[in-house]
Amino acid sequence: MEVDDQESQLVEALFQCTTNDRAVLTEQFLRILGNRSNINAGLAEFYLQMNGWNVDEAISSYLDVNRCPDLSMTLIQDMTVGEGESVPPGTPYTKVWRVRNSGTVAWLPGCVLRCTDGQASGSMQIPLETINPGSDFDIKLDLVSPQQPGIYQSKWRACSPDGAYFGDPIWMITIVESGGVLGVTQQLNSSNLQS
């Protein structure tokens, strides 16, 4: 889901908040920001009371205070063995991206690389390690190619524990065809490394 989609959903949810019942307002605050791990009813009531029980202003205050520090990620290189080769249908393979923490702070525990668009043939998110600024990290994604030949693409984004996307988007394009050799290339490379 893109940031613009998240913002429009947030705006739509805020327009639906039309009550003065404090329990309902607290419930709405929690529902709207519920994917963040540090929110509970007491915290919701604090922000709501601080903002005159206005859900819109309370959420804005919460997001201002809990904004992510300067998190950033830069794609350095696609390290996939056999990159550019097509892959046969139903074949396991590994995608590897080298990324750098290009921000000013270490990535927070709970940061993930998440598939935000397209078709992923494996996990929809990958945990990221806590990497210091300026350090590189290889992200490995084990996949199985789709059963149907075709061109498949997906977009991946780094995501903070509170759901904010940061850094370069990473695009993955997979060409699936019966004569593909990517799986074989990776198997041969793996057996050569083990010898």
Side-chain angles (χ1 to χ4, degrees):
M1 179 182 309
E2 295 294 324
V3 174
D4 291 342
D5 293 340
Q6 289 177 332
E7 288 176 7
S8 65
Q9 287 178 352
L10 180 61
V11 169
E12 183 179 321
L14 290 172
F15 281 124
Q16 296 173 1
C17 300
T18 58
T19 182
N20 291 327
D21 184 327
R22 292 180 176 180
V24 172
L25 293 172
T26 301
E27 194 174 299
Q28 288 174 340
F29 182 98
L30 291 170
R31 182 177 44 83
I32 292 169
L33 294 178
N35 67 335
R36 289 156 172 85
S37 60
N38 65 338
I39 295 181
N40 58 40
L43 187 64
E45 289 172 3
F46 168 78
Y47 279 99
L48 285 162
Q49 187 174 16
M50 184 174 77
N51 289 281
W53 294 92
N54 180 310
V55 175
D56 182 19
E57 291 178 16
I59 288 173
S60 292
S61 293
Y62 172 84
L63 292 174
D64 284 344
V65 170
N66 293 284
R67 181 150 302 174
C68 278
D70 186 20
L71 295 172
S72 190
M73 180 190 75
T74 301
L75 175 64
I76 302 299
Q77 183 178 359
D78 188 327
M79 304 291 291
T80 304
V81 171
E83 173 57 24
E85 296 176 357
S86 60
V87 61
T91 302
Y93 67 103
T94 302
K95 190 74 177 168
V96 182
W97 296 297
R98 179 160 294 156
V99 297
R100 177 172 294 143
N101 177 345
S102 53
T104 60
V105 297
W107 292 342
L108 306 170
C111 284
V112 296
L113 186 70
R114 180 176 293 157
C115 181
T116 60
D117 191 21
Q119 303 141 330
S121 57
S123 176
M124 293 299 285
Q125 69 180 27
I126 306 160
L128 297 175
E129 294 183 16
T130 303
I131 302 297
N132 289 322
S135 297
D136 293 352
F137 174 65
D138 288 351
I139 300 171
K140 296 179 181 168
L141 180 60
D142 292 320
L143 302 162
V144 176
S145 62
Q147 292 295 328
Q148 294 299 315
I151 298 175
Y152 299 85
Q153 71 177 20
S154 57
K155 179 180 176 184
W156 297 76
R157 298 287 311 272
C159 185
S160 69
D162 72 346
Y165 293 109
F166 63 92
D168 292 345
I170 298 175
W171 288 93
M172 180 172 66
I173 298 173
T174 305
I175 301 170
V176 178
E177 57 187 15
S178 59
V181 295
L182 178 64
V184 173
T185 302
Q186 288 189 351
Q187 287 175 346
L188 287 173
N189 185 65
S190 176
S191 61
N192 286 341
L193 292 176
Q194 294 172 0
S195 298

